[in-house]
Amino acid sequence: MIVLVSGLAAGALFAATALAYNVMFSTSKVLSVTTGHIAMLGGVFGAYAITGLGLPPLLGLLAAIIVGALFGYLTDVIAIRRVVSRSDEHLWLLSTLALATIVQQGVGLWWGTEPRPFPRLIPQDFSAGLADQKYWLPIVTTALLAVALELFYRRTLYGKLFVAMSEDTFAARARGIETDRIRALSYVLAGIIGGIAGFAAGQLTFAFFALGLTLTLNGFIALAVGGLGSNAGALVGGAALWLLNAWSSNTIGGEYQNTVSVGLLMLVLLLKPEGLFGARNVRPV
Amino acid sequence: MKFQGRAWVLAAALFAASPAWAQSTIKIGWLSSLTGPLSSAAIAENKGVEFAVEEINAAGGVLGRKLELVTRDTAGDPTKAVSFAQQLVFSEKVHFVIGPVNSGETLATVPIVARAGVPNLIIGTIDELVDAKKYPRAFRAINTNRQWIEAANKYALEVLKKHNVAIIGDTSGYGTSSAKTATELLARAGVKPVYSALVDPNKTDLTDELNKAKAAGADVIMPWSAATGLLGRLINTRGDMGWNVPIVGHPSVMAPAIRKLINKPQYWENTFAAGPVSTTFRPDGKLPERTQALADKLRPRLGGGEIDYLFWWVALGYDAVKIVEHMVKTAGGTDPAAIQKAFESTRELKGAYATYSWTAEDRNGFPDLDITVNVANSLKDGCFKAAPR
């Protein structure tokens, strides 16, 4: 049971990363390498605000959100805006990879390359076992994030603009939507999601500078398995990836864990390229 | 005219003297990962290296020649280490290379330094780094990984009398090969681990592994990993489970970084790791004389108060330069072939970190006797208490 719950908590973090991917992808058709780094920043700056500056946990969360949002916005300004407007090639892969590397190395120099502790957010003894906050916090947070995102898409004007852009950017622009502004907004929103997720899972991951790339990869696998563009898919993909990870490290050994998860990605891409919940894009010619 | 003539003489003398002066320094290349992963070890070693160079130069140098330290920061990156190694041996034409600090970097640089025929002092622990035939001028000052593992195995089996071993390695190259060596060495003692697992260093939870180890009847956990995050989680999981089984393993389980990662201070009890005798407090609470003497000399440079570096790194850095001094004196100069002979004939050279001996066949200078087992949570003044026997 404990294996199930602890694995699900890690899967929840992958799923939250997949959600952030989705939000950015919907408006820009870009899969940013920086996605995992947002969550890393949420964890590091949350820990810094609470342990380093002595702020209460709520302000620590706020710090994680602000840093995440800021980083999301900067990603758009630095790595996306000009690249996407000037070329149809997938140069964003390089620009976001460069930004991700810069941020990771910068945090490494400032924060240090050893993992540092993330503070307890709610007073609780460490002997709580399954009920420990480090497990349920990321699970509950990711579930809430998914529900909130769904409500945002369905109930708010901005959410509808996101959906419109994800369906057809040119048509949206023709209808008078400021697509540049909406895209920037989506990057800020992804930053907030990533920041919250990284903060909620901090006790599980520690505040560690090199977490970003692991999350970028695993979040992407969760997304591809669940289906690009689908938030339900992101959740299911995260859970599926966790199940497979737990199973593989349980039966064939931890050294094959990454091989198995990347193998899952290959399998899904071969058999069902649109993912479990993805919409099959049929373009009439 | 007379004045002009004198000026000429003076200029000629200066001209003649300058290459002689350049020849007269002994150049030591120091490949140190002062930034990046594992920088903490390199920074501490650098304190010892710099101090030794200054001390020797203040006393007039070696055979009348000053030491000149040429430091290059590899950032822990093997590709940088390779280009700096080439720069040091081919452009800077150093007489010695110390380092690099990490085994992964050293694997890449050893062949380069060997090809240039420059004596190389190895401070990485994995076995493949020295080879009397392939790299005749590479000599190791630090203990080997095998020595750490043997000491920990011996402590678990013979002192704690625990024979149901659970081995936890990580999935990095170092973790995997160390776990394999540990299993082989246990097999020689007739012990087969009841459980063994390789874990991704970033895995967020070790409950599964420890539950299985417990179910398999393990009575000692032996982690072979240098990943402090993983080791912190291991100690926390054992504590959260309320499972009071000893942990005996890699020196990283006593790293100061662990102290911050553990949930409660008492979780760190009943945890032991291999470490050098030189930085282990004796039963009377004192350090070995040579270690204490170095600590006293260095204390003002390390902040004045309690030393918060792992002192064995500092002592190793200090010794590395003192070994160079000894070899130049023995060889009567810096001729590489003579230096190699000097190394091969060195027996029981007393340093602060260890007492070194090398032979024509054996490039490992650190003796088995100089390794012991420490209590993990006993760090004081950069040194540790001996594990109870």
Side-chain angles (χ1 to χ4, degrees), chain A residues 40-276:
Chain A
M40 178 273 285
L41 288 175
V44 166
F45 277 89
Y48 172 67
I50 299 173
T51 321
L53 303 178
L55 300 176
L58 264 183
L59 287 180
L61 175 63
L62 193 67
I65 291 175
I66 292 172
V67 170
L70 207 65
F71 180 56
Y73 182 69
L74 284 177
T75 307
D76 179 54
V77 173
I78 297 170
I80 305 292
R81 187 170 292 177
R82 295 173 72 83
V83 171
V84 171
S85 70
R86 291 197 177 192
S87 109
D88 285 336
E89 302 296 325
H90 292 174
L91 277 178
W92 48 261
L93 183 63
L94 282 178
S95 60
T96 56
L97 178 64
L99 184 63
T101 311
I102 292 169
V103 165
Q104 173 165 325
Q105 299 300 329
V107 171
L109 284 175
W110 164 68
W111 181 251
T113 50
E114 292 285 348
R116 292 219 233 159
F118 193 91
R120 280 305 239 194
L121 297 174
I122 306 160
Q124 184 184 27
D125 193 70
F126 288 103
S127 55
L130 273 183
D132 197 286
Q133 52 184 289
K134 74 176 175 185
Y135 301 131
W136 61 258
L137 261 176
I139 299 174
V140 170
T141 306
T142 302
L144 286 178
L145 281 174
V147 171
L149 199 59
E150 209 52 40
L151 286 176
F152 171 76
Y153 278 149
R154 288 182 188 197
R155 298 279 168 87
T156 68
L157 181 61
Y158 275 107
K160 287 185 174 139
L161 294 179
F162 278 35
V163 176
M165 263 185 84
S166 77
E167 305 226 324
D168 193 329
T169 311
F170 290 107
R173 194 181 293 154
R175 288 273 180 163
I177 297 175
E178 282 182 76
T179 49
D180 276 351
R181 200 161 66 89
I182 299 298
R183 194 190 54 238
L185 209 64
S186 76
Y187 275 72
V188 171
L189 183 64
I192 293 173
I193 292 173
I196 295 176
F199 183 85
Q203 294 178 60
L204 206 60
T205 60
F206 293 138
F208 184 38
F209 87 114
L211 186 69
L213 223 47
T214 314
L215 286 182
T216 294
L217 177 66
N218 283 302
F220 176 72
I221 296 175
L223 185 69
V225 171
L228 202 55
S230 158
N231 289 335
L235 293 184
V236 173
L241 182 59
W242 143 72
L243 256 179
L244 202 73
N245 268 351
W247 172 80
S248 62
S249 74
N250 219 323
T251 51
I252 37 184
E255 63 270 45
Y256 299 105
Q257 189 181 311
N258 281 335
T259 317
V260 169
S261 37
V262 178
L264 169 75
L265 176 67
M266 297 293 288
L267 201 69
V268 169
L269 290 180
L270 283 173
L271 298 179
K272 205 169 176 334
E274 70 276 16
L276 300 174

Side-chain angles (χ1 to χ4, degrees), chain B residues 180-236:
Chain B
K180 200 171 144 226
T181 309
T183 312
E184 284 166 10
L185 291 175
L186 281 173
R188 272 192 218 162
V191 171
K192 190 176 181 298
V194 292
Y195 175 74
S196 90
L198 293 177
V199 187
D200 187 302
N202 287 325
K203 189 168 190 229
T204 47
D205 201 89
L206 282 144
T207 317
D208 183 22
E209 284 77 10
L210 285 198
N211 273 336
K212 281 187 185 160
K214 196 176 181 184
D219 54 12
V220 59
I221 302 171
M222 306 197 71
W224 292 107
S225 163
T228 44
L230 177 75
L231 296 168
R233 288 188 184 103
L234 177 76
I235 295 170
N236 279 340

Side-chain angles (χ1 to χ4, degrees), chain B residues 113-286:
Chain B
V113 181
R115 211 175 306 134
V118 175
N120 190 180
L121 209 55
I122 305 292
I123 51 173
T125 60
I126 64 170
D127 292 318
E128 294 81 358
L129 300 179
V130 292
D131 187 320
K133 289 208 178 66
K134 279 200 292 191
Y135 320 124
R137 287 177 192 153
F139 295 85
R140 187 183 341 240
I142 198 173
N143 59 278
T144 62
N145 206 28
R146 186 171 285 263
Q147 284 174 317
W148 270 337
I149 297 173
E150 274 168 351
N153 281 354
K154 208 168 161 196
Y155 187 73
L157 301 179
E158 292 172 18
V159 180
L160 296 178
K161 309 250 181 259
K162 308 284 186 193
H163 291 85
N164 297 323
V165 177
I167 292 183
I168 309 268
D170 71 43
T171 52
S172 72
Y174 177 75
T176 312
S177 85
S178 300
K180 200 171 144 226
T181 309
T183 312
E184 284 166 10
L185 291 175
L186 281 173
R188 272 192 218 162
V191 171
K192 190 176 181 298
V194 292
Y195 175 74
S196 90
L198 293 177
V199 187
D200 187 302
N202 287 325
K203 189 168 190 229
T204 47
D205 201 89
L206 282 144
T207 317
D208 183 22
E209 284 77 10
L210 285 198
N211 273 336
K212 281 187 185 160
K214 196 176 181 184
D219 54 12
V220 59
I221 302 171
M222 306 197 71
W224 292 107
S225 163
T228 44
L230 177 75
L231 296 168
R233 288 188 184 103
L234 177 76
I235 295 170
N236 279 340
T237 309
R238 177 185 67 160
D240 289 347
M241 282 166 71
W243 185 27
N244 192 23
V245 61
I247 293 177
V248 186
H250 192 275
S252 290
V253 299
M254 47 186 184
I258 299 276
R259 186 199 300 270
K260 298 179 202 139
L261 293 179
I262 49 178
N263 292 341
K264 293 179 185 172
Q266 64 265 32
Y267 281 11
W268 212 6
E269 282 165 15
N270 207 8
T271 305
F272 311 96
V277 171
S278 58
T279 53
T280 302
F281 291 102
R282 291 185 309 216
D284 62 2
K286 289 187 177 153

